[in-house]
Amino acid sequence: MDLREKDKFVLDRDSENHLNYNPSGISADWQMGCVPTSNSNNSISMGVGQATSCPSASMVDSFSCSTLWDDHSSNSHNLGISLNTTTNASNNVHIIKPIPPPSRLDMGGWNPSDHISKDGVFQQTSIGILPPGGLSSQFPSDSTFIEQAARLSCFGSGTFTSMLSPFDTSNSYFTQSRRSDPNILEGHNRSNGEGSPMNSQKDTTSSQRVGEHGNTEFNGGGSGQEEIPLEKSVAKKRKRNTQEIEIGQPMNDKPTEISKENNGVGHKYEPNASSPLGAKNNGKQAKDGGDPAKEDYIHVRARRGQATNSHSLAERVRREKISERMKFLQDLVPGCSKVTGKAVMLDEIINYVQSLQRQVEFLSMKLATVNPQLDFNLEGFVSKDIRAGTSSAIGFTPDLAHHFLNPTSQGGLTQSGVFGVGPPSPDAFRRAINGQLNSPNTFKEAKHQMGISCDDDIQNILSQMGFGNNLPLNIQQDSNDKTRSSDGFTM
Amino acid sequence: MQDMNAMQATHFLRLLSRLKPLMAPTLPISTSQQTKFILKSAYASMAYAAGPRRVWSRALVRRIRRNRRRPTMRIINKRRHVVRPRRRPAEGGSEELRKVIPGGDTILNGARLVEETSDYVQFLRTQVIIMKALVSSFSKGQHG
């Protein structure tokens, strides 16, 4: 029974596909994302061992980040604490050059944070380890730290509760960041450190904006995609952070960065993001001065990126994948190529799928009425049906072949294209069909079950197919036009 | 793809021919019952042709079997309910898509969802074509 065969693969594949579904997709990204960041010049250089911790932390990142920010709100007054946590977040995310931390670190206070972040998990326990407030003096020497300090200070001064509602409070975040930025950022070389958060922030703002427009998942990567070559080196863990803490860290730098860099990159949502920021004053000017310098370091910045950068990078790659598949889907669904914008396209796709399902239902009803005895004679019907139906189906399938969806060989395409030529007999026709489509094993089995024996007829039919026939590919157009499939091609 | 179309067609017809005596032992069954039977076998052949690799094909098979099975089998299905609530927070605009695609709500990854959607669309389309051809062949056979 066919249903029993289905049972088998239901039992076999159900669990494993569910289990493997996310980890394979996610861990692969993480692995890919972790490796390139080894070139980054992060101030805090964690060993390569962090790479291994990244995948494990990847799943936890999104959740831990949100909790992390919640904790920050309680400790908002403490700069050092917030800095430490964000540093940990960023450090955990990025795989940095395997430079021993002590040599790289200028501040002694960061050593404990290094050890903490080496665990590969966002830790709020680190808050207790660092001396409260003692870190601010240590930051000036390191740009990354400065960035983080700047960002954290902004968050510290602001209210974290607003962070949790990304779509409403993006403006409020910018205001908060503006206030505290000039205090910390002045006089510091933030080129390296800022690059990554800026890039990530760009993603988050753009992603947020996209979310506001209702297409977080599909459009969010639009702004980020342009920076992919820059940020690809950054660990992809940033992707998760951006998804979960969309308003998080990068908020501070985003306004200025967006105004400067995004224009170059051509992001759509930049004006939206920068307009509220324009209202900010001191912080913005301080940052603007550093922006041209930062732009030169874009590549470096991306690699050194903070946690958010890696997240946005990973998210960018993820969005690329989604857009790639959406393009294929666009080709499938008729009338979708004209539509721009994923929301409308998505609606189109949904409508199309629903219409197809309704069509199947309607056709089954029609089949029931046409054939009340439910008498399906396989031999005769297969030949007629395949000739009428699958030839047209075959005709348009070449358009649909896609590398990741249909890895089947298309050797029989040319032969199938001329399928519409009038065959001498239904049996021969059927055999021809089977012979053409004989690549998969299952079809051989079908052949046997259908009583097809000799391949000589197949050769004859195939040679007869050489007449050449143009199958008008009107499949997509007729919705309920039953006769069209058979009349659509000349026999 | 062409082999998938033909395979789908053959499976569909085989299902119909095989299951008909099982589903409707008494010939005069109502049209609605026939419709349901044909619909089920259509989706079943679609799912079978797609193979177990697809989330939607497995979900379709589960749905079909669920309809056919007795309620006593619900106990086995409890595991399914545990799996479903797990959902990725960032769905984007794919909520409705998940409702349409069978088993879509279990797909967490957006890219995977789009992939499944395109696969599902392809199979749906071929199923529609097959059924159209069947209907036309039947009506042609009846008329001449």
Side-chain angles (χ1 to χ4, degrees):
Chain A
M1 264 315 247
D2 291 337
L3 288 182
R4 272 185 222 128
E5 290 163 338
K6 285 169 218 154
D7 287 351
K8 266 188 265 170
F9 64 74
V10 166
L11 291 174
D12 294 339
R13 308 287 179 172
D14 193 1
S15 57
E16 78 182 38
N17 275 14
H18 276 299
L19 292 175
N20 296 339
Y21 181 70
N22 270 340
S24 59
I26 294 169
S27 59
D29 287 345
W30 290 111
Q31 308 272 331
M32 283 162 38
C34 285
V35 170
T37 54
S38 58
N39 300 331
S40 64
N41 298 326
N42 234 329
S43 58
I44 300 174
S45 56
M46 310 306 296
V48 185
Q50 223 180 8
T52 54
S53 64
C54 288
S56 59
S58 65
M59 297 299 291
V60 190
D61 284 356
S62 56
F63 305 101
S64 58
C65 279
S66 50
T67 55
L68 193 123
W69 289 120
D70 290 339
D71 282 356
H72 278 200
S73 58
S74 61
N75 298 325
S76 60
H77 63 281
N78 197 333
L79 246 189
I81 292 172
S82 58
L83 278 169
N84 183 30
T85 46
T86 47
T87 311
N88 285 336
S90 59
N91 291 338
N92 294 335
V93 173
H94 303 295
I95 308 302
I96 310 157
K97 283 192 232 181
I99 301 174
S103 63
R104 197 69 178 86
L105 292 174
D106 300 324
M107 307 162 229
W110 281 108
N111 286 332
S113 64
D114 289 341
H115 296 306
I116 295 160
S117 50
K118 269 184 181 168
D119 295 339
V121 179
F122 292 119
Q123 292 180 2
Q124 295 155 3
T125 58
S126 60
I127 293 171
I129 297 175
L130 285 180
L135 295 171
S136 55
S137 58
Q138 298 168 346
F139 287 108
S141 51
D142 197 290
S143 56
T144 17
F145 295 147
I146 291 163
E147 284 177 5
Q148 294 169 358
R151 281 184 287 147
L152 292 173
S153 64
C154 298
F155 292 118
S157 58
T159 56
F160 287 103
T161 54
S162 56
M163 285 166 52
L164 302 177
S165 56
F167 299 110
D168 299 332
T169 59
S170 53
N171 291 339
S172 64
Y173 272 111
F174 292 141
T175 57
Q176 293 169 5
S177 63
R178 289 305 116 219
R179 277 181 240 129
S180 52
D181 280 348
N183 304 332
I184 297 177
L185 299 176
E186 287 174 6
H188 295 314
N189 177 18
R190 305 176 306 132
S191 60
N192 287 341
E194 275 190 335
S196 48
M198 288 166 67
N199 296 333
S200 61
Q201 290 169 359
K202 198 185 312 183
D203 288 339
T204 54
T205 42
S206 56
S207 63
Q208 288 169 5
R209 304 243 164 231
V210 175
E212 290 172 2
H213 296 277
N215 281 328
T216 342
E217 186 176 23
F218 295 103
N219 285 339
S223 60
Q225 285 176 357
E226 306 181 30
E227 288 187 278
I228 284 166
L230 309 174
E231 298 193 355
K232 273 226 155 125
S233 55
V234 183
K236 293 190 183 174
K237 281 192 180 172
R238 197 201 312 173
K239 202 183 353 180
R240 287 183 197 260
N241 269 342
T242 51
Q243 286 174 2
E244 296 302 326
I245 314 174
E246 285 202 332
I247 305 187
Q249 301 172 348
M251 293 308 286
N252 297 340
D253 299 335
K254 247 193 180 160
T256 53
E257 295 174 351
I258 292 168
S259 57
K260 299 280 176 162
E261 296 174 349
N262 288 348
N263 292 333
V265 191
H267 291 292
K268 256 187 0 181
Y269 299 102
E270 293 168 5
N272 298 337
S274 54
S275 52
L277 306 178
K280 306 322 159 200
N281 11 30
N282 300 336
K284 201 172 186 190
Q285 289 163 4
K287 286 189 175 176
D288 288 351
D291 279 339
K294 295 171 208 165
E295 286 169 358
D296 300 336
Y297 292 92
I298 279 184
H299 303 278
V300 176
R301 208 184 311 151
R303 276 182 240 124
R304 294 178 62 138
Q306 307 299 326
T308 51
N309 287 346
S310 65
H311 281 261
S312 60
L313 183 78
E315 185 164 8
R316 209 169 285 153
V317 173
R318 175 179 154 270
R319 287 193 193 121
E320 263 189 349
K321 282 188 194 170
I322 289 176
S323 60
E324 179 187 349
R325 278 148 209 214
M326 290 288 278
K327 276 179 210 162
F328 183 66
L329 195 54
Q330 225 175 359
D331 299 336
L332 269 186
V333 177
C336 229
S337 48
K338 315 161 195 166
V339 176
T340 54
K342 307 223 169 106
V344 188
M345 199 166 71
L346 215 53
D347 289 342
E348 274 292 319
I349 291 164
I350 291 168
N351 289 338
Y352 185 65
V353 171
Q354 283 173 342
S355 76
L356 278 179
Q357 285 173 342
R358 272 182 259 125
Q359 246 179 297
V360 170
E361 191 178 339
F362 178 75
L363 280 172
S364 69
M365 194 167 63
K366 189 140 185 181
L367 250 186
T369 53
V370 160
N371 189 10
Q373 322 85 332
L374 290 183
D375 175 26
F376 296 97
N377 186 358
L378 250 188
E379 296 288 317
F381 288 156
V382 168
S383 63
K384 276 189 259 176
D385 164 39
I386 290 182
R387 184 205 321 160
T390 56
S391 53
S392 51
I394 290 166
F396 75 82
T397 49
D399 306 332
L400 309 179
H402 198 276
H403 63 278
F404 59 75
L405 279 186
N406 300 315
T408 58
S409 62
Q410 303 184 9
L413 267 181
T414 53
Q415 294 166 352
S416 62
V418 298
F419 197 26
V421 180
S425 70
D427 286 342
F429 211 67
R430 186 202 329 139
R431 271 183 243 124
I433 299 168
N434 297 339
Q436 283 185 5
L437 315 172
N438 202 11
S439 43
N441 331 333
T442 50
F443 212 93
K444 279 194 182 144
E445 154 206 336
K447 231 168 72 166
H448 292 310
Q449 287 170 352
M450 294 175 55
I452 299 166
S453 53
C454 54
D455 293 335
D456 295 344
D457 293 343
I458 296 170
Q459 304 301 324
N460 294 337
I461 300 301
L462 293 182
S463 60
Q464 290 173 10
M465 295 291 187
F467 293 174
N469 189 23
N470 295 330
L471 296 178
L473 310 179
N474 295 330
I475 310 303
Q476 304 175 357
Q477 296 171 6
D478 49 329
S479 56
N480 284 327
D481 189 354
K482 306 249 176 314
T483 58
R484 246 178 121 181
S485 60
S486 52
D487 297 337
F489 52 90
T490 59
M491 302 281 285
Chain B
M1 265 303 273
Q2 54 276 28
D3 50 355
M4 298 303 266
N5 302 336
M7 202 168 70
Q8 211 173 324
T10 55
H11 285 309
F12 180 45
L13 291 168
R14 263 166 54 200
L15 263 180
L16 286 175
S17 62
R18 280 194 196 176
L19 295 180
K20 181 252 173 181
L22 297 176
M23 294 287 294
T26 61
L27 265 182
I29 56 177
S30 67
T31 308
S32 65
Q33 276 183 356
Q34 280 185 15
T35 307
K36 284 181 193 165
F37 159 66
I38 291 173
L39 193 62
K40 263 192 217 169
S41 52
Y43 279 117
S45 69
M46 238 175 71
Y48 187 73
R53 280 270 159 214
R54 287 293 168 193
V55 176
W56 64 263
S57 64
R58 294 196 300 267
L60 263 182
V61 168
R62 247 178 274 140
R63 197 187 290 178
I64 291 165
R65 295 182 54 77
R66 197 195 324 155
N67 292 341
R68 298 184 63 193
R69 291 285 181 167
R70 301 279 185 268
T72 56
M73 297 293 278
R74 289 291 162 90
I75 296 171
I76 300 176
N77 297 339
K78 266 190 190 170
R79 190 176 147 274
R80 255 193 289 147
H81 294 297
V82 174
V83 172
R84 261 191 204 127
R86 194 172 25 115
R87 214 164 283 223
R88 175 177 265 234
E91 285 181 2
S94 51
E95 292 182 25
E96 296 174 10
L97 196 57
R98 280 171 218 265
K99 291 179 201 164
V100 172
I101 309 290
D105 49 352
T106 56
I107 300 175
L108 303 179
N109 194 356
R112 183 77 58 170
L113 181 68
V114 176
E115 193 180 328
E116 296 276 331
T117 304
S118 45
D119 195 63
Y120 185 61
V121 161
Q122 278 177 334
F123 276 91
L124 258 185
R125 264 221 284 221
T126 58
Q127 188 67 39
V128 165
I129 288 161
I130 290 166
M131 293 177 77
K132 276 188 192 171
L134 256 186
V135 168
S136 62
S137 69
F138 265 116
S139 48
K140 276 189 182 172
Q142 282 184 359
H143 294 317

